[in-house]
Amino acid sequence: MRGPILASWRRSRDRDLAADQIELPYVQDPDTDTPLTRSAEPVLRHLCEQLDGQPVSVVLTDPSGLVLLRLTADSQLQRHLDHVQLAPGFSYGEHYAGTNGIGTALVTGKPTEVIGPEHYVESLENLACAGVPVRHPVSGRTVGAVDLTCWRKDAGPLLLTLAKTTAEQIRQQMLTETGSNHLELFHEYMRTCHRTAGVVFAVNHNMAMLNDYARATLDPADQAALLSHAAELLGNGSRVSTVVELPTGITARMHCRPVRENGKVAGLVAHAKLGEPDHRHNLTSSDPVRMPLPGLVGYAPLWLRACHETERVVRSGEWLALEGEPGVGKTALLRAAQSRQQPDRRLVLLDAADASTNLEWFAGASQALLRRDHSLVVRHVDRLRPAQLRELGALLREAATVERAQPLWVGLTLERVSEGRELNRLLGLFPRTVEVPPLRLHMEDLPQLVALFLSRLQHGADLTCAPETMRLLMRSSWPGNAAQVLQVLRQVAQRRRSGVIQPEDLPPAAQTVSRRLLSPLESMERDAIVQALNDARGNKAATAHALGMSRATIYRKIHDYGIVPPVG
């Protein structure tokens, strides 16, 4: 077996996919009015005309493998493709259909040919398919896939070549349709860069451009805030001047100018003049904060969308799964939405991570499901073994049939979906999955998050965060998300119980801009350097002398560890 096919089979086996049957999710009305379909359809129809009734099916999918378009001239092949669900609305992603030309090409990002018994599912063994990812001509991201499928006996060496040529023709067509708009926006952006000093950027619905000054001067959260604000002004269609307060406390006076192509707004070019940060403003627990749900803060669009969608689903009574990285606040979000929409019910939290060690776990779950005044949230459901997932599914199905004055409501949290057949079967009981974004994608919410956590930790004391400390916190990528922020602030509050938190009050790991995962020995060395720099008030020569290192070594290690030295 060829290497890529063997690797795909192993992935399919690890997901516990059935080889003797095919069970694919179905979307009744997939969105076919997209730039990809508009560019691809004339190309694919022309290809079908050239094939002149040959038993070859031409398929277009979105980036997940969802079939958007299928053109088949041979009636016998068409009936068979209907039988194996290779039809619009069904997903041929590898995590559903196993090894196949569409899903495997999208996973690997490379043209892939799968012939006969190389398919993981037995019902596909009499087919041959060649799938090629389609990439956006400007951004380079994968926007879909084109696939040619025929009978196994008719497969030839040119099948994959023809699929590659077709994918390139679709890419060129997308470039023709979108390139003029992007080109005009790019030219106006470059003209503004030559005429204007300072921060210059351009946005449209598909991309963003920032000049070197903006990238060097602004923190990532400030960059995101400016771009987000400009994107909201795209539909205005006129020149706009506005003042934006950025997450780090800097104010920016932003001047926006629309760029038009054929009478339509093709994008927006802006330049911004930065003001001084307001050093008088310290974030405290008494500062007004926006709470989209009880006990939650934040105003970034991605976070608000997750909050509003979660609340809407809970209000409807549908069972709900929340997906996201550890520490993003999935349980807090479910708890807040349930508290607002179901105030007369008690919420029971169960952690599936305990199911392997607690023999009474499933009994407790059963008892909670049968109580008529309870709602249930099961955390970390993706940590259950297949047999445990089957048992939990059986309990949920049984509980759903019990007559109640108010319908049972259940929520789940997990890190990722589609990891195994039993997990997918369990998730089939939950009509909606909402993705909760990681903190790095809504860093503008960090100041409010810090204020909220400090109010919980200070127990009546007046503990504030200095602007320079906040700017340091904003530079971190926070791989542990909100939970890591709380852990860092808890360490700070144990040492400083009142007053203003200065950069040197932060743990050493929070005084660095993490570039890589450090070994235990490297972490100890980094902590020693941070402590010595704080003791020396940022003097690198004194730090080198205190640690017995040369100045060159200190400079190199400060750079390698991403340490932000204190200002003396």
Side-chain angles (χ1 to χ4, degrees):
M1 186 177 290
R2 292 181 289 139
I5 301 298
L6 178 60
S8 175
W9 272 58
R10 285 173 173 160
R11 291 193 296 269
S12 302
R13 182 194 60 190
D14 291 343
R15 295 187 179 101
D16 200 23
L17 294 179
D20 59 347
Q21 59 181 338
I22 190 163
E23 298 178 3
L24 305 181
Y26 177 69
V27 176
Q28 185 171 1
D29 295 308
D31 183 11
T32 57
D33 186 19
T34 66
L36 170 65
T37 53
R38 290 194 292 269
S39 298
E41 187 167 0
V43 174
L44 299 184
R45 293 196 181 279
H46 180 66
L47 173 62
C48 286
E49 293 174 1
Q50 291 181 314
L51 292 173
D52 192 24
Q54 295 296 314
V56 178
S57 180
V58 182
V59 178
L60 181 73
T61 80
D62 73 1
S64 69
L66 178 69
V67 178
L68 303 174
L69 179 67
R70 186 192 71 185
L71 302 175
T72 311
D74 184 81
S75 59
Q76 183 180 1
L77 179 61
Q78 181 169 309
R79 286 193 297 271
H80 184 72
L81 296 183
D82 287 341
H83 175 68
V84 297
Q85 301 176 347
L86 183 51
F90 289 96
S91 177
Y92 254 73
E94 190 185 72
H95 50 289
Y96 295 123
T99 305
N100 71 91
I102 295 170
T104 305
L106 288 170
V107 168
T108 62
K110 300 177 181 178
T112 301
E113 188 174 35
V114 181
I115 300 176
E118 290 182 331
H119 288 92
Y120 188 79
V121 179
E122 294 173 359
S123 58
L124 303 178
E125 287 186 354
N126 55 353
L127 297 173
C129 53
V132 180
V134 178
R135 292 184 171 83
H136 193 278
V138 176
S139 67
R141 62 186 177 89
T142 299
V143 294
V146 63
D147 170 78
L148 302 183
T149 296
C150 66
W151 298 112
R152 172 189 173 187
K153 60 183 178 61
D154 297 327
L158 295 181
L159 188 67
L160 185 59
T161 301
L162 183 58
K164 292 178 182 177
T165 302
T166 304
E168 176 59 24
Q169 290 174 348
I170 295 173
R171 194 188 74 84
Q172 290 294 335
Q173 184 66 24
M174 292 182 70
L175 182 62
T176 300
E177 295 185 5
T178 64
S180 59
N181 291 351
H182 285 95
L183 192 60
E184 181 61 30
L185 181 64
F186 178 73
H187 285 162
E188 184 60 32
Y189 164 73
M190 292 303 299
R191 285 192 290 267
T192 305
C193 287
H194 289 307
R195 293 195 305 260
T196 307
V199 173
V200 178
F201 59 95
V203 296
N204 64 13
H205 293 295
N206 296 314
M207 68 176 186
M209 296 177 283
L210 290 92
N211 65 347
D212 289 340
Y213 180 82
R215 288 192 294 270
T217 305
L218 296 173
D219 282 349
D222 288 347
Q223 296 176 24
L226 269 182
L227 294 174
S228 176
H229 197 83
E232 293 177 0
L233 299 174
L234 267 175
N236 190 295
S238 59
R239 291 174 177 258
V240 176
S241 294
T242 183
V243 176
V244 182
E245 184 175 349
L246 302 180
T248 59
I250 297 174
T251 59
R253 179 169 292 278
M254 187 169 66
H255 305 276
C256 305
R257 182 173 62 259
V259 177
R260 298 182 182 276
E261 178 71 21
N262 298 326
K264 297 181 179 181
V265 176
L268 181 147
V269 174
H271 67 274
K273 182 178 180 180
L274 303 179
E276 292 297 322
D278 187 358
H279 290 287
R280 297 169 300 171
H281 178 67
N282 290 337
L283 285 167
T284 71
S285 59
S286 61
D287 288 334
V289 295
R290 305 179 189 180
M291 286 196 174
L293 284 168
L296 302 181
V297 295
Y299 60 91
L302 280 177
W303 170 247
L304 285 180
R305 184 170 64 184
C307 292
H308 294 159
E309 186 65 10
T310 298
E311 185 177 17
R312 186 190 67 79
V313 177
V314 174
R315 185 189 308 121
S316 72
E318 287 186 329
W319 292 8
L320 173 65
L322 289 193
E323 174 194 7
E325 295 178 6
V328 295
K330 300 184 291 294
T331 302
L333 184 49
L334 284 175
R335 191 200 302 269
Q338 189 272 341
S339 173
R340 174 178 286 179
Q341 296 301 325
Q342 303 170 358
D344 57 336
R345 300 194 200 181
R346 178 189 171 193
L347 182 65
V348 177
L349 293 175
L350 292 177
D351 194 336
D354 299 332
S356 298
T357 56
N358 183 359
L359 299 179
E360 303 298 323
W361 192 89
F362 283 98
S366 177
Q367 183 179 9
L369 288 168
L370 294 177
R371 289 292 298 270
R372 299 179 185 276
D373 58 344
H374 284 189
S375 294
L376 177 66
V377 167
V378 182
R379 305 174 61 210
H380 306 130
V381 72
D382 48 338
R383 300 186 186 181
L384 293 175
R385 297 191 299 270
Q388 294 172 325
L389 288 167
R390 285 194 294 270
E391 186 172 355
L392 178 60
L395 290 176
L396 291 174
R397 292 184 185 92
E398 179 183 357
T401 64
V402 176
E403 294 186 5
R404 307 165 185 265
Q406 292 182 322
L408 172 68
W409 183 81
V410 181
L412 299 181
T413 75
L414 67 163
E415 291 184 27
R416 54 193 179 278
V417 298
S418 304
E419 290 294 325
R421 181 172 57 180
E422 295 301 333
L423 179 57
N424 282 322
R425 285 180 175 174
L426 178 66
L427 291 176
L429 300 173
F430 295 78
R432 288 299 309 274
T433 296
V434 173
E435 184 175 357
V436 183
L439 181 57
R440 62 181 175 274
L441 297 185
H442 60 108
M443 283 293 289
E444 57 266 48
D445 290 337
L446 183 63
Q448 289 194 1
L449 193 63
V450 169
L452 176 67
F453 287 159
L454 287 179
S455 70
R456 294 177 179 175
L457 293 170
Q458 61 193 8
H459 303 296
D462 185 17
L463 187 61
T464 63
C465 189
E468 55 269 27
T469 306
M470 181 58 67
R471 285 196 293 274
L472 189 58
L473 294 175
M474 294 287 287
R475 294 179 181 178
S476 175
S477 60
W478 297 107
N481 297 296
Q484 185 184 5
V485 178
L486 178 58
Q487 180 184 14
V488 167
L489 294 177
R490 183 176 286 117
Q491 294 179 44
V492 172
Q494 289 173 352
R495 297 189 300 271
R496 175 178 284 281
R497 298 175 180 83
S498 63
V500 180
I501 300 173
Q502 300 296 337
E504 59 267 22
D505 294 322
L506 297 175
Q511 298 185 46
T512 63
V513 181
S514 178
R515 295 184 175 89
R516 59 186 175 86
L517 185 64
L518 302 182
S519 69
L521 186 60
E522 289 174 322
S523 297
M524 292 173 61
E525 185 178 53
R526 176 205 61 195
D527 293 356
I529 294 174
V530 169
Q531 185 61 54
L533 279 168
N534 288 332
D535 293 343
R537 301 182 180 275
N539 187 309
K540 300 179 181 64
T543 300
H545 181 267
L547 296 176
M549 297 180 179
S550 67
R551 291 182 63 182
T553 300
I554 278 293
Y555 277 95
R556 176 174 57 81
K557 289 188 176 294
I558 288 174
H559 178 268
D560 288 347
Y561 292 147
I563 297 171
V564 181
V567 178

